[in-house]
Amino acid sequence: MPNNKRKNRGNKNKEVTMTASNEKDTPIQDYEDDDIEEMQEADLKKLIRTLRSSQKQILELHKSLLDKIENLSRENEILRRNQNETKQLVQQETVIVTEVKNSIDQMKNTIESLTNRMGEAEERISDLEDREQERIQSDQRKEEEIRNLKHIVGNLQDTIKKPNIRVLGVPEGMEREKGLEGLFSEILAENFPGLEKDREILVQEAHRTPNKHDQKRSSPRHVVIKLSTVKHKEKILKCAREKRQITLRGSPIRLTADFSSETLKARREWRDIAQVLRENNCQPRILYPAKLSFVNEGEIKTFHCKQKLKEFVATRPALQKMLKVVLHTETQKHGHQYERR
């Protein structure tokens, strides 16, 4: 029996030795209490070191696992937060998209409303333009009618005034002794003795114009003499043109035909042009009622309006050079008058 026990111990010691020698490569073995008692002190120390090393490894492994679990928890929390943030972002984007869609719909409605209003405004503008064009045409027709009426009235006045002679420069009050008819007879006797004896020359009416004397006016009012015939008026005016200087009691006066205000205005418009033509020996005359006549290249030319004169002047270089300044001035004058209107 003792021998067997020794053999068993020997075997067990061999096992312990083998276990100690292989402790680096073999995992921790389970030892029974009897085995531990039979172990030597060195083997026990090795076993304790092995156990402590294993415990340390287990602790490190446990710690590593805890760290991994903690990291996984953090990552999971981060993922959860990211998911929540993503959900919030998606919700916000959904709200924004909805708001944008609503804004787009509102803009579409607004644009459609504005388009409709613009269409209505364009129609109104078109109607107003049509009305304005109609008004302009109506005004033009009225102006044309007014011009025609003025022309008709002017012609009637000129017809009525055709036998009249207008005397300029007779001092106020001189007619008190003989009257205006007596003063006219005195003018004929002083300037045209042959006509004064003509019994056919009869004065039908004589008056000053305007009827009321303006005390602030320095020049005397004109005297209008109405003769019985136009022929006698033309005869007297022809003699006045030939004599040139007409006097009354030694003071200079003027004899002219009597015209309507429209005709006088038209005749005055020829005045500057006639002056230039007179300075260049073109023998200008303003014919009845308001026509310009002058001599050009040996021929007598007559014009009733400035437009016809300009067209003729454009074909005559010498005449164009002569009247360039005065015609340009007239064009500017009419341009300013049109702008004021």
Side-chain angles (χ1 to χ4, degrees):
M1 291 297 291
N3 291 329
N4 290 332
K5 288 180 181 180
R6 288 190 187 98
K7 287 179 184 179
N8 292 330
R9 286 177 182 171
N11 291 331
K12 289 180 181 178
N13 288 336
K14 287 179 183 178
E15 289 176 2
V16 171
T17 304
M18 289 175 65
T19 302
S21 62
N22 295 327
E23 67 183 21
K24 294 181 181 178
D25 300 323
T26 305
I28 300 171
Q29 296 181 4
D30 293 331
Y31 295 95
E32 295 181 0
D33 294 338
D34 293 338
D35 295 333
I36 293 172
E37 289 177 356
E38 294 177 358
M39 285 182 183
Q40 296 179 1
E41 186 177 353
D43 293 332
L44 288 171
K45 288 179 179 179
K46 287 181 181 179
L47 179 60
I48 291 168
R49 284 196 299 271
T50 301
L51 290 171
R52 287 178 177 173
S53 176
S54 298
Q55 185 181 12
K56 185 178 180 181
Q57 290 177 0
I58 290 170
L59 290 172
E60 289 177 352
L61 180 61
H62 182 263
K63 184 180 179 181
S64 175
L65 288 172
L66 290 175
D67 291 340
K68 288 182 179 179
I69 290 170
E70 187 177 356
N71 289 335
L72 287 173
S73 298
R74 289 176 182 172
E75 290 177 359
N76 187 36
E77 180 67 19
I78 291 171
L79 287 173
R80 188 181 63 79
R81 290 178 182 176
N82 289 339
Q83 286 178 353
N84 292 334
E85 290 178 357
T86 302
K87 287 181 181 179
Q88 291 177 355
L89 288 173
V90 169
Q91 290 176 354
Q92 290 176 358
E93 288 179 356
T94 303
V95 172
I96 291 172
V97 169
T98 304
E99 291 177 352
V100 169
K101 286 182 178 179
N102 293 335
S103 298
I104 291 173
D105 291 338
Q106 290 177 358
M107 290 176 66
K108 286 181 178 179
N109 294 334
T110 303
I111 290 171
E112 185 177 356
S113 176
L114 289 173
T115 302
N116 294 333
R117 290 182 181 179
M118 287 178 64
E120 293 175 358
E122 288 177 355
E123 290 179 0
R124 291 179 182 177
I125 291 171
S126 179
D127 291 340
L128 289 173
E129 288 177 348
D130 293 340
R131 291 179 185 177
E132 180 65 16
Q133 186 64 29
E134 290 176 358
R135 187 191 65 79
I136 291 172
Q137 292 176 354
S138 176
D139 290 344
Q140 290 175 347
R141 287 193 296 269
K142 288 179 181 178
E143 289 178 358
E144 183 66 24
E145 290 175 0
I146 290 171
R147 282 195 296 270
N148 291 335
L149 288 173
K150 285 182 177 180
H151 182 67
I152 292 171
V153 171
N155 288 339
L156 288 173
Q157 289 179 341
D158 289 333
T159 301
I160 294 170
K161 293 173 179 286
K162 203 165 186 179
N164 296 357
I165 291 179
R166 188 172 285 242
V167 184
L168 288 67
V170 177
E172 292 283 345
M174 186 177 283
E175 66 270 21
R176 289 171 187 163
E177 297 178 5
K178 298 181 179 181
L180 293 175
E181 295 181 9
L183 285 178
F184 184 68
S185 297
E186 189 175 340
I187 292 169
L188 294 180
E190 185 174 334
N191 295 277
F192 320 112
L195 292 178
E196 195 269 336
K197 296 178 182 179
D198 190 344
R199 299 298 178 183
E200 294 181 358
I201 298 178
L202 300 175
V203 176
Q204 291 188 342
E205 183 183 338
H207 65 274
R208 283 190 182 269
T209 183
N211 294 327
K212 188 176 180 180
H213 177 52
D214 186 359
Q215 299 295 333
K216 296 179 180 179
R217 183 174 177 176
S218 58
S219 59
R221 291 174 294 168
H222 297 178
V223 175
V224 177
I225 305 296
K226 184 176 182 180
L227 301 176
S228 57
T229 63
V230 176
K231 181 177 70 172
H232 293 148
K233 180 203 76 170
E234 295 292 344
K235 189 174 183 180
I236 293 170
L237 291 179
K238 182 180 178 182
C239 293
R241 285 194 297 270
E242 292 173 352
K243 190 174 187 299
R244 294 187 179 181
Q245 185 66 39
I246 309 299
T247 60
L248 173 60
R249 300 177 185 178
S251 299
I253 59 171
R254 286 179 57 200
L255 299 181
T256 66
D258 188 26
F259 299 104
S260 64
S261 58
E262 287 293 319
T263 303
L264 283 173
K265 181 180 177 182
R267 290 173 69 89
R268 288 193 194 102
E269 289 181 355
W270 292 116
R271 188 177 297 170
D272 294 338
I273 297 173
Q275 180 62 31
V276 175
L277 293 171
R278 191 174 294 108
E279 292 171 356
N280 288 273
N281 299 319
C282 293
Q283 304 174 25
R285 288 184 61 192
I286 300 177
L287 303 179
Y288 181 86
K291 295 183 288 186
L292 176 67
S293 171
F294 62 91
V295 177
N296 179 254
E297 297 179 357
E299 296 181 1
I300 297 176
K301 301 294 181 182
T302 304
F303 302 93
H304 67 277
C305 70
K306 288 184 180 179
Q307 184 59 37
K308 295 294 182 181
L309 174 63
K310 289 178 181 178
E311 293 174 1
F312 175 76
V313 167
T315 64
R316 300 291 192 276
L319 193 60
Q320 187 176 17
K321 183 177 180 181
M322 183 192 307
L323 298 175
K324 180 179 179 180
V325 175
V326 67
L327 288 177
H328 180 68
T329 304
E330 289 289 332
T331 302
Q332 285 184 329
K333 188 187 299 182
H334 284 288
H336 293 320
Q337 290 176 353
Y338 179 78
E339 288 176 0
R340 284 196 295 270
R341 289 178 183 177

